[in-house]
Amino acid sequence: MKDNVYKIIEITGTSATTIEDAVNKALKRAHKTIKGLSWFQVTETRGSIDKGKVQHWQVTLKVGFEIQDS
Amino acid sequence: MKDNVYKIIEITGTSATTIEDAVNKALKRAHKTIKGLSWFQVTETRGSIDKGKVQHWQVTLKVGFEIQDS
Amino acid sequence: MKDNVYKIIEITGTSATTIEDAVNKALKRAHKTIKGLSWFQVTETRGSIDKGKVQHWQVTLKVGFEIQDS
Amino acid sequence: MKDNVYKIIEITGTSATTIEDAVNKALKRAHKTIKGLSWFQVTETRGSIDKGKVQHWQVTLKVGFEIQDS
Amino acid sequence: MKDNVYKIIEITGTSATTIEDAVNKALKRAHKTIKGLSWFQVTETRGSIDKGKVQHWQVTLKVGFEIQDS
Amino acid sequence: MKDNVYKIIEITGTSATTIEDAVNKALKRAHKTIKGLSWFQVTETRGSIDKGKVQHWQVTLKVGFEIQDS
Amino acid sequence: MKDNVYKIIEITGTSATTIEDAVNKALKRAHKTIKGLSWFQVTETRGSIDKGKVQHWQVTLKVGFEIQDS
Amino acid sequence: MKDNVYKIIEITGTSATTIEDAVNKALKRAHKTIKGLSWFQVTETRGSIDKGKVQHWQVTLKVGFEIQDS
Amino acid sequence: MKDNVYKIIEITGTSATTIEDAVNKALKRAHKTIKGLSWFQVTETRGSIDKGKVQHWQVTLKVGFEIQDS
Amino acid sequence: MKDNVYKIIEITGTSATTIEDAVNKALKRAHKTIKGLSWFQVTETRGSIDKGKVQHWQVTLKVGFEIQDS
Amino acid sequence: MKDNVYKIIEITGTSATTIEDAVNKALKRAHKTIKGLSWFQVTETRGSIDKGKVQHWQVTLKVGFEIQDS
Amino acid sequence: MKDNVYKIIEITGTSATTIEDAVNKALKRAHKTIKGLSWFQVTETRGSIDKGKVQHWQVTLKVGFEIQDS
């Protein structure tokens, strides 16, 4: 097993429905430009409010992926 | 754009079903007495357990709203 | 009311579907060997990623229960 | 069991004698205007010093109570 | 010296110019309804950005004041 | 001096009187089943409230002890 | 309103004069290569010292911006 | 009122009896060599255990005092 | 892939030589009684000092392992 | 380049005007007795309030300097 | 001295041997694509375990480098 | 056993080779002027980088020692 190196980026996904959906929306978008996303950690769960209801969940993630050798 | 001032309060919503429902229950209740709730941040997710299942989700939020000029 | 003593353990539940399901899976398993689980607190929400989607939610909990007198 | 909502406030009690007394002084004062104080958590223990002795203990608490339906 | 009790609230001041101005705007507004504001602690310094410049500083404070006996 | 290994557990003691008593109650109970308790660190001080007074102090500790060779 | 995704980067601005200037220098530089910078949060305020005076303020920020669809 | 400068040191007091006593022992010792101790903040509460009882409370404090002009 | 549940324990390894050796000593000891140790995280690095040199490194770890179905 | 050793002290500067001035006042005073102050980090920003305005900014710093060989 | 701006990235290096080796592996890989890496800070030390021994050290770093003017 | 009082100082050791060496260099230097150094805790591990390699490890420690009666 070789000694891999990983990069960790921070992204925020938003969703009108659930925390899980906000996370998946963020991952789906990151996956468009970065291959090999491997793991994530939720670092903040916030949201905007409209008329006493959650309008948008805003979930911030650290996401790790292996740096490929060029 | 004027220099608004916001107040931040801390509340805990509870729900037998989901984290999202606990948050919305807390916001709904706060909305009864405070107009203009603007954003929230989840600061703690706890719960009570009954027979090896979550009985009640207890989700604590900081909630911000603009202080209206009196 | 007597002065109870509680023990707190840390466990991680996993689920392919939701954060709530991961928590309940962890509690269900702990309940097999420990009676009287009383409360929990979520301390970390992570996950593995496959093809730009959450593959498994990994939710870590502190779980408290009363130590029974032997 | 219905889905209660709780409010959390932060107060500082002071006492010339003990940490416990500072907490009780803070709770006694809050109890004058808020019914149904339910739980607290100590968030900071400080104090003033006079001639190399603690002059006043200053103990800050978060205190939770159920929001009653109006 | 009697054993005073203090309340701590959290507010956010905003300003287009400086951090200090945002703090003073928050204190000025709070002073309209609460007498005896005594001390503050900055807990977060954020801001909005417009065209690569700070548009509004958003400075969050905990503010303490003595609870007067009624 | 050999290279010892220690285990750290987390327990919560409760007491109607003082923080110190809650700690000692927790240690006394842990001592029934674990020999060689060596040190502790207080990680949280909470409590329940009844009629504006502390009803029960709830003090959580990490407690370390040497793992004996079997 | 669609479910936007944001990226958060961390940068350090420096200035010989003020904290505000260090923040604006960092944002100005980031703005050269990233359009749509939206918000920031100060995470660290440090500095170098020369002859008992601040030589350079070093202010670290998290900066968020919307990821544009390609 | 002039612009005072304060120094903050960290000390640990120990006591076989109470947390308060450990704090006072630490302050009494520091007072022997430093005049003008002004305030303290408890940063850690630990202890050693003997036969299932607290043997020594070890309470760590940050202590502030005005630096006198020489 | 089934939804595994993991337990996390906290142990402290000690060594007269290196941090790595202290970690390995802790894992070796835990491995005697627990099969399937899977990952660890260092949570604290301390040590005792003798004559101005490190006498013993004391490295505390959280260690995770899958709970086997009984 | 030799392996230098640095000492870190904690001081609080105060100012009626700005955060930057409070930091510089603290550094100026420390510089009277310690040569070679090298870097600082702001660890707390507090203040006293008078009539709804900041009376004194109180900014706490960690300050590092090389320990000279005697 | 001009007012430089720095970018901070987060990477994880892995090694079968030591913490230092994991850090150097991460820096070596980052150096392939980024010139002028200037400083780092270790933010997490984890690892995988195989048969009661560390299999791979996983050390996460924040790494800073000056943003060159284009 | 009498109620000792300890002082805690913060120092940073540097080394071109290992974390352990940086810690020992810091302790060796502190030992020149302070007798009875008793324990330490690593609070930060940083370093400078040269050509994609660690140039100097910079390890910050809190170090405790008993205050001798004068």
Side-chain angles (χ1 to χ4, degrees):
Chain A
M1 186 177 177
K2 70 180 163 51
D3 296 338
N4 300 319
V5 176
Y6 301 85
K7 188 166 196 290
I8 296 169
I9 59 169
E10 200 164 19
I11 54 179
T12 302
T14 63
S15 164
T17 59
T18 64
I19 295 170
E20 286 85 352
D21 188 52
V23 171
N24 270 314
K25 289 233 165 65
L27 295 179
K28 185 181 176 183
R29 181 62 191 80
H31 180 64
K32 283 191 188 181
T33 47
I34 303 169
K35 295 308 156 194
L37 298 178
S38 176
W39 86 91
F40 69 93
Q41 177 178 5
V42 174
T43 56
E44 198 173 54
T45 303
R46 302 171 69 102
S48 57
I49 305 170
D50 183 50
K51 302 195 183 85
K53 287 185 200 164
V54 177
Q55 184 185 48
H56 262 78
W57 293 90
Q58 302 161 339
V59 184
T60 300
L61 317 172
K62 293 204 174 189
V63 184
F65 56 93
E66 193 185 329
I67 306 180
Q68 302 298 332
D69 278 308
S70 53
Chain B
M1 185 178 177
K2 68 179 163 52
D3 295 337
N4 300 321
V5 176
Y6 301 85
K7 188 165 196 291
I8 296 169
I9 58 169
E10 199 164 20
I11 54 178
T12 302
T14 63
S15 165
T17 60
T18 65
I19 295 170
E20 286 85 350
D21 188 53
V23 172
N24 270 313
K25 289 233 164 68
L27 295 179
K28 185 181 175 183
R29 181 62 190 80
H31 180 64
K32 283 190 188 179
T33 47
I34 303 169
K35 295 308 155 193
L37 297 178
S38 176
W39 85 91
F40 69 93
Q41 177 179 5
V42 174
T43 56
E44 198 174 54
T45 304
R46 302 173 69 103
S48 57
I49 306 170
D50 184 49
K51 302 195 183 87
K53 288 186 199 162
V54 177
Q55 184 185 49
H56 262 77
W57 293 89
Q58 302 160 341
V59 184
T60 299
L61 317 171
K62 292 204 176 189
V63 184
F65 56 93
E66 193 184 330
I67 306 180
Q68 303 296 333
D69 277 309
S70 53
Chain C
M1 186 176 177
K2 69 179 162 54
D3 295 338
N4 301 320
V5 177
Y6 301 85
K7 188 166 196 291
I8 297 170
I9 58 169
E10 200 165 19
I11 54 178
T12 302
T14 64
S15 164
T17 59
T18 64
I19 295 170
E20 286 85 350
D21 187 52
V23 171
N24 270 314
K25 289 231 164 70
L27 295 179
K28 185 181 175 182
R29 181 62 189 81
H31 181 63
K32 282 190 188 179
T33 47
I34 303 170
K35 295 309 155 194
L37 298 178
S38 175
W39 85 90
F40 69 92
Q41 178 179 5
V42 174
T43 56
E44 198 174 53
T45 304
R46 303 172 70 103
S48 57
I49 306 170
D50 183 50
K51 303 195 183 85
K53 286 185 201 164
V54 177
Q55 184 184 49
H56 261 78
W57 293 90
Q58 301 160 339
V59 184
T60 300
L61 319 171
K62 293 204 177 189
V63 184
F65 56 93
E66 193 185 328
I67 306 180
Q68 303 297 333
D69 276 309
S70 51
Chain D
M1 185 178 178
K2 69 179 162 52
D3 296 337
N4 301 321
V5 176
Y6 301 85
K7 189 165 195 292
I8 296 169
I9 58 169
E10 200 164 18
I11 54 179
T12 301
T14 63
S15 164
T17 59
T18 65
I19 295 170
E20 286 84 351
D21 187 52
V23 171
N24 270 315
K25 289 232 164 67
L27 295 179
K28 184 180 176 184
R29 182 61 190 80
H31 180 64
K32 283 190 187 179
T33 48
I34 303 169
K35 294 309 155 193
L37 298 178
S38 176
W39 85 91
F40 69 93
Q41 178 180 5
V42 174
T43 57
E44 199 173 54
T45 304
R46 303 172 68 103
S48 57
I49 306 170
D50 184 50
K51 303 197 183 84
K53 286 186 201 165
V54 177
Q55 183 185 48
H56 262 78
W57 293 89
Q58 301 161 340
V59 184
T60 299
L61 317 172
K62 293 204 176 191
V63 184
F65 55 93
E66 194 185 329
I67 306 179
Q68 302 297 333
D69 277 308
S70 53
Chain E
M1 185 177 177
K2 69 179 161 54
D3 295 337
N4 300 321
V5 176
Y6 300 85
K7 189 166 194 291
I8 296 170
I9 59 169
E10 199 165 19
I11 54 179
T12 301
T14 63
S15 165
T17 60
T18 65
I19 295 171
E20 285 85 351
D21 187 52
V23 171
N24 270 314
K25 290 233 164 67
L27 295 179
K28 184 181 175 184
R29 180 62 190 80
H31 180 64
K32 283 190 188 181
T33 48
I34 302 170
K35 296 307 157 195
L37 298 178
S38 175
W39 86 90
F40 68 94
Q41 177 179 5
V42 174
T43 57
E44 198 173 53
T45 304
R46 303 172 69 103
S48 57
I49 306 171
D50 184 50
K51 301 195 184 84
K53 287 185 200 163
V54 177
Q55 184 185 48
H56 261 78
W57 293 90
Q58 301 160 340
V59 184
T60 300
L61 318 171
K62 292 205 176 188
V63 185
F65 56 93
E66 194 184 328
I67 306 179
Q68 303 297 333
D69 277 309
S70 52
Chain F
M1 185 178 178
K2 70 180 162 51
D3 295 338
N4 300 321
V5 176
Y6 301 85
K7 187 165 197 290
I8 297 169
I9 59 169
E10 199 164 19
I11 55 179
T12 301
T14 64
S15 164
T17 60
T18 65
I19 295 171
E20 285 84 351
D21 187 52
V23 171
N24 270 314
K25 288 233 164 68
L27 295 179
K28 185 181 175 183
R29 181 61 189 81
H31 180 63
K32 282 191 190 180
T33 48
I34 302 170
K35 294 309 155 193
L37 297 178
S38 176
W39 85 90
F40 69 93
Q41 177 180 6
V42 174
T43 57
E44 198 173 54
T45 304
R46 302 172 69 102
S48 57
I49 306 170
D50 184 51
K51 302 196 184 84
K53 287 186 200 165
V54 178
Q55 185 185 47
H56 262 78
W57 294 90
Q58 302 160 340
V59 184
T60 300
L61 318 172
K62 292 204 177 189
V63 184
F65 56 94
E66 194 185 329
I67 306 180
Q68 302 298 334
D69 278 309
S70 51
Chain G
M1 184 177 179
K2 69 179 163 53
D3 296 338
N4 301 319
V5 177
Y6 301 85
K7 189 166 196 292
I8 297 169
I9 59 169
E10 199 164 20
I11 54 179
T12 301
T14 63
S15 163
T17 59
T18 65
I19 295 171
E20 286 84 352
D21 187 52
V23 171
N24 270 313
K25 289 233 164 67
L27 295 179
K28 185 181 176 183
R29 180 62 190 80
H31 181 63
K32 283 191 189 180
T33 48
I34 303 170
K35 295 307 156 194
L37 297 178
S38 176
W39 86 89
F40 69 92
Q41 178 179 5
V42 174
T43 56
E44 198 173 55
T45 304
R46 303 171 69 102
S48 57
I49 306 170
D50 183 50
K51 301 195 184 85
K53 286 185 200 165
V54 177
Q55 183 185 49
H56 261 78
W57 293 89
Q58 303 160 339
V59 184
T60 299
L61 317 172
K62 293 204 176 189
V63 184
F65 56 93
E66 194 185 328
I67 306 179
Q68 302 297 332
D69 276 310
S70 52
Chain H
M1 185 179 177
K2 70 178 162 52
D3 295 337
N4 301 321
V5 177
Y6 300 84
K7 188 164 196 293
I8 296 169
I9 58 169
E10 199 164 19
I11 54 178
T12 301
T14 63
S15 164
T17 60
T18 65
I19 295 170
E20 286 84 351
D21 187 53
V23 171
N24 270 314
K25 289 233 163 69
L27 295 179
K28 184 180 175 185
R29 181 61 188 81
H31 180 64
K32 283 190 187 178
T33 47
I34 303 170
K35 294 309 155 195
L37 298 177
S38 175
W39 86 91
F40 69 93
Q41 177 179 4
V42 174
T43 57
E44 199 173 54
T45 304
R46 302 172 69 104
S48 58
I49 306 170
D50 183 50
K51 303 196 183 86
K53 287 187 201 164
V54 177
Q55 184 185 47
H56 261 77
W57 293 89
Q58 302 161 340
V59 184
T60 300
L61 318 172
K62 292 204 176 190
V63 184
F65 55 93
E66 194 185 330
I67 306 180
Q68 303 297 333
D69 278 308
S70 52
Chain I
M1 186 176 178
K2 69 180 163 52
D3 295 338
N4 301 321
V5 176
Y6 301 85
K7 188 165 197 289
I8 296 169
I9 59 169
E10 199 165 18
I11 54 179
T12 301
T14 63
S15 165
T17 59
T18 65
I19 294 171
E20 287 85 350
D21 187 52
V23 171
N24 270 314
K25 289 233 165 68
L27 294 180
K28 184 180 176 184
R29 181 62 190 81
H31 181 63
K32 283 191 189 179
T33 48
I34 302 171
K35 295 307 155 193
L37 298 178
S38 175
W39 86 89
F40 68 92
Q41 177 179 5
V42 174
T43 56
E44 198 173 53
T45 303
R46 303 172 68 103
S48 57
I49 306 170
D50 183 50
K51 302 196 183 85
K53 287 186 200 163
V54 177
Q55 183 185 50
H56 261 78
W57 294 90
Q58 301 160 340
V59 184
T60 299
L61 319 172
K62 292 205 176 188
V63 185
F65 56 93
E66 194 185 329
I67 306 180
Q68 302 297 333
D69 276 308
S70 51
Chain J
M1 185 178 178
K2 68 179 163 51
D3 295 337
N4 301 320
V5 176
Y6 301 85
K7 189 164 195 291
I8 297 169
I9 59 169
E10 199 164 19
I11 53 179
T12 301
T14 63
S15 165
T17 60
T18 65
I19 295 170
E20 285 85 351
D21 188 53
V23 171
N24 270 314
K25 289 231 165 67
L27 295 180
K28 184 180 176 184
R29 181 61 189 81
H31 180 64
K32 283 191 188 179
T33 47
I34 303 170
K35 295 307 157 194
L37 297 178
S38 175
W39 85 91
F40 68 93
Q41 177 179 4
V42 174
T43 56
E44 199 173 54
T45 304
R46 303 172 69 103
S48 58
I49 306 170
D50 183 50
K51 301 195 184 85
K53 287 186 201 165
V54 177
Q55 185 185 47
H56 261 78
W57 294 90
Q58 302 159 340
V59 185
T60 300
L61 318 172
K62 291 204 177 189
V63 184
F65 56 93
E66 194 184 329
I67 306 180
Q68 303 297 332
D69 277 309
S70 53
Chain K
M1 185 178 177
K2 69 180 163 53
D3 295 338
N4 300 321
V5 176
Y6 301 85
K7 187 165 196 292
I8 297 170
I9 59 169
E10 199 165 18
I11 54 178
T12 302
T14 63
S15 163
T17 59
T18 65
I19 294 170
E20 285 85 351
D21 187 53
V23 171
N24 270 315
K25 289 234 164 67
L27 295 179
K28 185 181 175 184
R29 181 62 190 81
H31 181 62
K32 283 190 188 179
T33 48
I34 303 169
K35 296 308 155 194
L37 297 178
S38 175
W39 85 90
F40 69 93
Q41 177 179 5
V42 174
T43 56
E44 198 174 54
T45 304
R46 303 171 68 103
S48 57
I49 305 171
D50 184 50
K51 302 197 184 86
K53 287 185 200 165
V54 177
Q55 183 185 49
H56 262 77
W57 293 89
Q58 302 161 340
V59 184
T60 299
L61 318 171
K62 293 204 175 190
V63 184
F65 55 94
E66 193 184 330
I67 305 180
Q68 303 297 333
D69 276 308
S70 53
Chain L
M1 186 178 177
K2 69 180 162 52
D3 295 338
N4 301 320
V5 177
Y6 301 85
K7 188 166 195 291
I8 296 169
I9 59 169
E10 200 165 18
I11 54 178
T12 301
T14 63
S15 164
T17 60
T18 65
I19 295 171
E20 285 85 351
D21 188 52
V23 171
N24 270 313
K25 289 232 164 68
L27 295 180
K28 185 180 175 184
R29 181 62 189 81
H31 181 64
K32 283 191 189 179
T33 48
I34 303 169
K35 295 309 156 194
L37 297 178
S38 174
W39 85 91
F40 69 93
Q41 178 179 5
V42 174
T43 57
E44 198 173 53
T45 304
R46 303 172 68 103
S48 56
I49 305 170
D50 183 50
K51 304 196 183 84
K53 286 186 202 164
V54 177
Q55 183 185 48
H56 261 78
W57 293 91
Q58 302 161 339
V59 184
T60 300
L61 317 173
K62 293 204 176 188
V63 185
F65 56 93
E66 194 185 329
I67 307 179
Q68 303 298 333
D69 277 308
S70 52

